[in-house]
Amino acid sequence: MENRYSIVISPPEAIIDLVKTMKNELSQEIGWFHSKNSLAHITINEFMAHESEIENIKKQLASICETLAPIQVHLNTFNHYPNGAFFIAPDEVSKIELKAIMKHVNQYFRVKTLFKNSEPHLSIARKLSSEYISKSYKLFSKPINLNFDCVGVTLRQFNPNVKQFEIITHFDFKNKPKPTFEQGTLF
């Protein structure tokens, strides 16, 4: 059977809980919205795969993460996209480093993806009207300052019964340099 999967960067529980609280506050203000029940994450990509392929995909992700090094992520701005996504954005340094990780994963991931994300952000809500975007900015008018160590990526599987992605496993960054081929000299 084919399932939908995603590769994401998962922040620590404290940030997941904070974003969950923010989503609850927003739902009290505007009602239900897309991604209300989704756990905080930064999407790298989404793909379809058969259950029989997952063990090989896990090996592939472990290999991809071998050369990546942990980074410090700083999220400090509320922002939105024209499509109605309201989110917490990383600072410029974190954005550059997160984009490098996302590009590396997408470059070496050998499964056809449905969606590749190139703009790192931590979603609070999706598909909001302009009125609800304005209400979101008013509700979250205080400055935000979140920090965490990004030490790996997470593989998630979509559960159609609860209509949410659920975590399957994490892959730690190992910060091991790629082996290079060195040609020896004959003389």
Side-chain angles (χ1 to χ4, degrees):
M1 181 172 147
E2 199 169 53
N3 294 306
R4 187 178 189 111
Y5 297 90
S6 69
I7 302 170
V8 302
I9 293 169
S10 292
E13 282 299 318
I15 292 177
I16 290 172
D17 291 343
L18 175 67
V19 172
K20 189 183 293 187
T21 299
M22 295 170 80
K23 289 179 180 220
N24 287 335
E25 289 173 14
L26 183 60
S27 72
Q28 289 173 0
E29 182 73 22
I30 68 170
W32 184 89
F33 52 85
H34 289 273
S35 80
K36 183 204 176 293
N37 297 317
S38 177
L39 295 180
H41 65 278
I42 298 171
T43 302
I44 296 174
N45 70 35
E46 291 184 12
F47 63 96
M48 299 294 288
H50 288 278
E51 290 174 13
S52 61
E53 299 172 289
I54 291 304
E55 286 310 310
N56 284 335
I57 289 171
K58 287 179 180 179
K59 289 175 187 170
Q60 190 180 146
L61 287 170
S63 176
I64 289 169
C65 291
E66 284 282 316
T67 60
L68 291 170
I71 62 167
Q72 177 69 36
V73 176
H74 182 219
L75 302 151
N76 64 349
T77 309
F78 289 107
N79 205 338
H80 74 281
Y81 292 127
N83 67 3
F86 182 76
F87 57 90
I88 306 168
D91 67 8
E92 282 307 310
V93 171
S94 295
K95 184 176 183 177
I96 291 166
E97 292 176 335
L98 286 166
K99 279 185 165 194
I101 289 170
M102 295 162 79
K103 182 178 179 181
H104 178 85
V105 171
N106 284 322
Q107 180 178 352
Y108 291 102
F109 189 61
R110 298 291 174 221
V111 177
K112 182 180 178 187
T113 56
L114 301 170
F115 167 76
K116 291 180 185 177
N117 185 23
S118 60
E119 288 297 321
H121 63 280
L122 200 63
S123 292
I124 295 173
R126 293 184 303 116
K127 299 182 183 178
L128 296 181
S129 66
S130 56
E131 175 190 355
Y132 287 166
I133 292 284
S134 295
K135 286 185 177 189
S136 299
Y137 278 113
K138 286 177 186 164
L139 182 62
F140 303 114
S141 60
K142 292 181 181 171
I144 185 116
N145 186 21
L146 304 175
N147 296 288
F148 71 94
D149 291 324
C150 174
V151 296
V153 298
T154 301
L155 177 63
R156 306 179 314 160
Q157 180 178 343
F158 187 74
N159 181 334
N161 297 325
V162 294
K163 298 184 176 18
Q164 294 297 323
F165 282 97
E166 297 174 340
I167 292 172
I168 296 175
T169 190
H170 299 281
F171 301 90
D172 292 334
F173 297 157
K174 302 290 188 187
N175 196 22
K176 293 181 181 176
K178 269 188 180 175
T180 57
F181 175 75
E182 292 184 22
Q183 187 170 350
T185 59
L186 295 174
F187 307 101

